[in-house]
Structure formats: C-alpha cells, structure tokens
Amino acid sequence: CSPSRSSYMTGRYSYVQGNGEHAPAGLETELRPDDIIFPEYLRAAGYVTRQVGKCHVGAGKFLDAFGENDQPWDQWSPPVFDDDNFLSYQRKLGVKPQKYAREIVFKQQDRTTAGNSVGGWIEQLDGKPFPMEAQYSYYLGQKAIETIDNLVGTGAAERHPVYLQLDIFDPHQPFSIPAGFEEREKELRRVMTVPRSWEEARNRDFKSAPDEPEIIDIYRRYWGIYDEEQMLNYRIAYILQMELVDKVIGMVLAKLKESGLYEDSLVALISDHGEMNGRRALVDKGAFLYPDVLRVPMVMKLPRHTPATRPVVESPVSLLDLAQTLLEAAGIQAEAKFDGTSLLPVMLGHSEISDRTLLFFGGWHVGVNFACGLQHRFPDGRHFLYSYNCSATVDELYDLSSSDATNLIDDPDNAAVREEMIHRLGKALQSDPRWAGYWTQFRLARFASLPLVKGDMQLLASPA
C-alpha cells in the first residue's frame, strides 16, 4: 500500500519500501516532509482540495495537500472501531458496531491451528442484520457526498476549481460484507471455482515449486489456504466487496451529476495494488513481483471540453502517470522531475506512447524480497514481465497475456525473451544512480547474460 501510494502521489519511483506495520526501524515507510504530492500543486494553483478516507503515506503530507481539517487515517486497515465520527454515524442510523457472522479464517502451517482472519460477513453486535448504509466504505461515500454538498452550498465550487480525492479501503481483506448480498452470493457459489495454480499447489501438498522463489513459499505459509471451501469463500467475498464499492462510487458520481459538476469534471478510478485472489495459493499482495499484484485498473472520464478520441490506451501505462496527467489537465506545469508521463495527449489522439521502460520493485512486508523487474512488449505483440529476486536463485518470467501466469524463466521456447529481458533490466538499472544498489548485484549475478562492462566494480568516482 504505502510504496504504491507514495509513488503515484509524487509521480516518482518511491524510496518507500515497506509499510509501517511490518518494516524494521530505519526503513522508510512514509514520505518525507519536503516531498511534494500532486494535490499540493493543485492547491497552490488555486484549487479547493478535499480528501476522504485512507492516507498511508504519512498524515502530515495529506495535511499539506488538503488542509488542517483533513482527517486521513494512516494505517493499513480501516478504523471501524475507533473512528468517532463513524461510530456517531452508525448510532444515528440506529446500528450497533459490527461483528462477524461468518468469518474466513485460514490455518497455520500445522494445518490445524487457526491462523489469519481475512474478515467475512458481518452482523450487528446484537445479531441483527448489518445494513449496507452502515458499512465503512458506504460511510466514506456519504462523507464524499457531504463534501460535494458543502462545496456547492458555500459557492466554493463555483468560485474555484475543485479536487476531491476519495480513498476507499475495499475491496481488501479483512472483508466486511453487510446484508443485502444474499442472492448475489448464491449466484456466485453456483459458478465460482478455485484457480488452476491453487490446485497445482494442493497437488504438491502446498510445497514450493521448482520455479518459485522462496518469497512465494513464505507468503503461502503465511496465508495457509489449505482448504478449498475457504478459498472459494475468499473469492466470493472479494467479488461482493467489489460490488459494494461499485455502489459507493455510483452514489458519488450520481451526486456530481445532480450538482451539475459531472460533465466538466475529470474522474479517475485507480487502485494502489492488485490481488492474488488465490493464485499460487496466495491472497492479498506481498513483496514479490507477480502480474496479479502489479496490474491495477486505471479508468478516466475526461471533461466534455476535452473529449477523449481514444477510448483505450493499448500501450503500457503506469500509476506513475496519474500525477502528470491530472496536472496537465489542470493546466499546471510543475518544475519537479517526474518518472511518469501525461496520458492526456494520448487519450486526445495527439500522440502515441512508444515502448516504455517501466520498473517494479519489491521490499519489506510479511517477507523480505528486494526484487526488481520490468515489463516489455515485443513488436509482435507479446508482453512479458521479468523479475530478478535479489535474495533468491530463481528469476521469474511471465507472459502478461496469461490469466493464471506460470514462470517461463526456464522454458526453452522463451530463452531469447529471457535474455532480452535481462539485457533490458541491466540497461535500466545502470542508467539511473537511484538503482546502483540493484545494479551492483545484478551485474554479478547475471554476468553471462549481460554486455561486458569494463572497469572497477566498486563504482568508484573517476578522477577529474
């Protein structure tokens, strides 16, 4: 969460390599005070900036960007039991706090002892159904609607341009599925299956496969998804949470339309990370570079005065591009250096994006894996992700067109692809001093596949 949010909020590759809940002392887990996140540029240019929901990059930065009245929660999970405003909101609805009616609990490595809870279906403390209107994501949607009403009611939205950021926790474990989804759950149970790679893991008794780096096995043991029924429950719960979020977003968009703001607004929908959703017997995300974790939605609706002529951008894009895209749409040219690029000219049909060197990094979460990797789309349309795991002997190569990707690193049919990806990663790591630590090890570990680089490998400065 934190590394990704730090990255797209600054438009730069992030030095944040861990979440504060797990990282050891000394590792950066939030942005520094002198970093600038893109809403600060908007605020300085005269925008009224408002935010609702999660922060997780350091609350101080959100106060800089959204003002002293902002109430960002700076932790990984929502404060459903200690957010006083939320608890007051629930009481006004006549709803008691939540408890689990059906909880999804995985197992520890002995396959008997209860392990991680990933939430589930909720009810009120007195056992009564828990209404959707009292669920936390719904509450955040209502706060966003109240913010819009305030901006319109005070005339601020008429006098100034407005930036509103809504950060919803769902869909993310621990799940909190309220009443109202019973029929939909029945429909899902009739068709839901487990992933092929989960079945493969079960067939080898959930032991590590030869093509897996150790970090995958660490996370598999951490989650302990040994039971097929619990795996199905997780996948169904995840979909139900997505449908709840869909309702919340629909409420906010309806309010924009009702207020007469929708047509002139740019609306961006993104996620900070993906979800394993049972693939390789894993859920959530982790310190590994797997396609399901790295790929996220990015949907934009442009204002009516700049209608998009290209409904889909086929070229690889990145969350790094969000900051520059929104700033250009606002007519702001920031002097700071960005690692992304504006997608606005592409959506308007004015330019194309050639193949890009987009890097990905792992760090510190439940396990430690300072991985680095990149994607590349070949001229024939094939699209691959290559991952080098600094703390393992196994590299990874994935076909990004696959829905349940397998590691192709030792596949003889993709040997040329592997060598090309190694070469490209080496060139990228060598080109930027920020990646010197990765390059120092990578040039030694993959020496035979890289062009020979002469000189002292201590990376000493040359004499004047």
Side-chain angles (χ1 to χ4, degrees):
C1 302
S2 297
S4 175
R5 288 169 182 263
S6 298
S7 188
Y8 71 71
M9 292 299 292
T10 61
R12 300 205 54 174
Y13 287 112
S14 178
Y15 55 82
V16 173
Q17 289 291 298
N19 291 344
E21 295 84 1
H22 291 299
L27 188 72
E28 295 286 3
T29 58
E30 59 182 48
L31 293 172
R32 301 172 182 131
D34 57 351
D35 287 318
I36 299 177
I37 58 178
F38 72 81
E40 291 184 82
Y41 291 109
L42 295 172
R43 190 181 188 195
Y47 273 69
V48 175
T49 56
R50 295 288 187 271
Q51 186 268 347
V52 173
K54 182 174 178 176
C55 164
H56 219 192
V57 300
K61 289 311 305 173
F62 269 46
L63 296 180
D64 290 343
F66 300 105
E68 62 186 9
N69 292 320
D70 193 29
Q71 297 175 334
W73 44 277
D74 193 10
Q75 60 187 45
W76 78 271
S77 60
V80 294
F81 300 113
D82 54 8
D83 182 335
D84 289 337
N85 291 330
F86 174 56
L87 296 176
S88 297
Y89 169 83
Q90 282 187 325
R91 282 198 303 274
K92 289 178 182 178
L93 294 175
V95 175
K96 293 180 172 56
Q98 70 186 51
K99 68 174 182 177
Y100 290 120
R102 286 184 288 147
E103 188 175 7
I104 305 170
V105 180
F106 298 140
K107 300 294 185 182
Q108 295 190 32
Q109 293 181 60
D110 60 10
R111 307 190 189 185
T112 301
T113 307
N116 290 322
S117 167
V118 291
W121 288 258
I122 58 175
E123 62 185 9
Q124 297 184 58
L125 284 178
D126 58 6
K128 293 180 180 179
F130 196 95
M132 184 188 312
E133 293 76 14
Q135 202 263 5
Y136 197 77
S137 288
Y138 196 100
Y139 160 72
L140 292 178
Q142 287 296 105
K143 283 190 67 177
I145 288 172
E146 290 176 2
T147 300
I148 295 170
D149 282 336
N150 291 336
L151 292 171
V152 172
T154 61
E158 184 176 355
R159 296 190 301 270
H160 304 279
V162 171
Y163 174 73
L164 172 62
Q165 182 169 312
L166 172 59
D167 293 296
I168 302 176
F169 175 76
D170 297 317
H172 194 300
Q173 63 84 20
F175 304 127
S176 54
I177 303 164
F181 291 94
E182 292 79 10
E183 292 304 313
R184 181 63 175 137
E185 181 185 345
K186 292 178 183 178
E187 294 175 356
L188 291 170
R189 289 198 181 279
R190 287 195 289 268
V191 299
M192 182 58 65
T193 59
V194 297
R196 170 184 51 80
S197 57
W198 184 88
E199 292 182 325
E200 292 172 349
R202 178 179 60 184
N203 291 342
R204 61 175 187 272
D205 196 31
F206 296 99
K207 293 184 170 55
S208 183
D211 66 345
E212 290 180 338
E214 183 184 11
I215 192 68
I216 296 292
D217 186 51
I218 291 292
Y219 275 90
R220 188 181 295 115
R221 285 184 274 164
Y222 173 74
W223 288 115
I225 317 172
Y226 305 114
D227 182 80
E228 182 172 353
E229 182 180 1
Q230 293 291 60
M231 183 72 268
L232 290 170
N233 286 339
Y234 186 96
R235 287 166 67 81
I236 290 168
Y238 191 85
I239 291 176
L240 295 178
Q241 290 275 260
M242 285 199 292
E243 296 191 0
L244 187 149
V245 169
D246 184 62
K247 292 179 182 294
V248 172
I249 293 172
M251 288 164 31
V252 176
L253 295 181
K255 171 54 68 172
L256 288 175
K257 293 176 181 178
E258 176 190 318
S259 304
L261 301 174
Y262 180 79
E263 293 297 333
D264 291 326
S265 295
L266 188 158
V267 181
L269 170 67
I270 66 166
S271 174
D272 56 353
H273 57 75
E275 161 70 49
M276 290 300 289
N277 218 348
R279 306 211 194 282
R280 298 207 169 197
L282 300 173
V283 295
D284 203 63
K285 78 288 185 187
F288 48 84
L289 304 183
Y290 193 76
D292 292 59
V293 171
L294 300 181
R295 305 183 92 171
V296 298
M298 180 184 281
V299 182
M300 292 192 187
K301 193 284 297 183
L302 297 182
R304 59 182 166 187
H305 61 272
T306 53
T309 59
R310 181 172 292 144
V312 177
V313 177
E314 298 287 355
S315 304
V317 300
S318 168
L319 289 177
L320 290 167
D321 303 331
L322 179 71
Q324 278 182 282
T325 300
L326 297 186
L327 290 178
E328 181 173 356
I332 298 172
Q333 287 188 327
E335 295 183 359
K337 177 183 177 182
F338 292 95
D339 290 313
T341 186
S342 173
L343 302 177
L344 190 61
V346 184
M347 291 187 285
L348 297 178
H350 299 159
S351 66
E352 300 285 347
I353 296 179
S354 58
D355 185 59
R356 305 171 64 187
T357 300
L358 291 173
L359 293 169
F360 306 93
F361 300 97
W364 201 298
H365 184 232
V366 172
V368 186
N369 185 40
F370 290 101
C372 56
L374 83 173
Q375 65 80 39
H376 175 62
R377 177 171 283 160
F378 287 79
D380 60 6
R382 292 179 301 160
H383 196 188
F384 289 91
L385 169 72
Y386 169 67
S387 172
Y388 168 67
N389 299 289
C390 300
S391 55
T393 58
V394 178
D395 286 0
E396 296 167 277
L397 180 68
Y398 297 112
D399 182 348
L400 290 176
S401 66
S402 172
S403 62
D404 197 348
T406 58
N407 190 1
L408 303 173
I409 198 68
D410 293 323
D411 179 13
D413 292 338
N414 286 286
V417 173
R418 179 187 65 232
E419 295 304 302
E420 174 68 16
M421 299 296 280
I422 291 174
H423 177 80
R424 285 180 171 272
L425 180 58
K427 184 177 179 180
L429 296 178
Q430 191 181 7
S431 68
D432 194 315
R434 288 178 293 178
W435 323 135
Y438 292 101
W439 169 238
T440 302
Q441 177 171 333
F442 188 69
R443 68 184 296 191
L444 296 170
R446 299 295 168 261
F447 180 84
S449 297
L450 292 168
L452 182 62
V453 179
K454 298 180 180 180
D456 192 323
M457 288 193 291
Q458 297 179 88
L459 305 179
L460 301 175
S462 302

